[in-house]
Amino acid sequence: MKSLTLATRGSPLALTQSEWVREQLIQLGTVEEIELEIIKTRGDKILDVPLAKVGGKGLFVKEIEEAVLDGRADFAVHSLKDMPVEQPPGLVLAEFPR
């Protein structure tokens, strides 16, 4: 496999985590190139209301999940602390790096 697309948020934490995963996979020889697809989630767009009042954790993942499900991205990196307990059909939590 030569290239993959990784969906992620554009926050400093998300980008740091995604860059780390990208480098690990490239170093392992799993893939030659991984392009980051930066997704702006609903949680990123809501700036004037406490997030708990409009949906909590799911606000930061729905658009990322959609990018994987519709084929714009091959996989995603996201902080487990922001993930809902249940995953939508077709998606799994596949890896938990250190």
Side-chain angles (χ1 to χ4, degrees):
M1 187 176 294
K2 293 186 178 191
S3 149
L4 292 173
T5 301
L6 184 166
T8 184
R9 291 179 57 225
S11 72
L13 175 60
L15 291 173
T16 298
Q17 292 169 328
S18 296
E19 290 284 352
W20 184 86
V21 168
R22 175 168 59 182
E23 291 305 314
Q24 297 303 305
L25 293 173
I26 290 171
Q27 284 180 13
L28 287 172
T30 306
V31 65
E32 291 177 19
E33 181 182 8
I34 298 175
E35 177 184 340
L36 297 184
E37 175 75 23
I38 298 173
I39 308 285
K40 192 161 198 152
T41 66
R42 185 169 177 227
D44 295 317
K45 296 173 187 173
I46 298 172
L47 303 174
D48 59 342
V49 178
L51 295 176
K53 289 188 176 185
V54 290
K57 292 186 178 199
L59 292 172
F60 291 101
V61 298
K62 182 175 171 126
E63 291 85 353
I64 294 171
E65 293 169 342
E66 289 171 350
V68 174
L69 289 169
D70 70 19
R72 287 180 286 141
D74 298 296
F75 70 110
V77 170
H78 199 78
S79 292
L80 188 59
K81 67 181 181 56
D82 292 326
M83 296 294 296
V85 173
E86 299 209 9
Q87 300 306 297
L91 297 178
V92 296
L93 296 176
E95 185 63 40
F96 302 90
R98 289 185 242 183

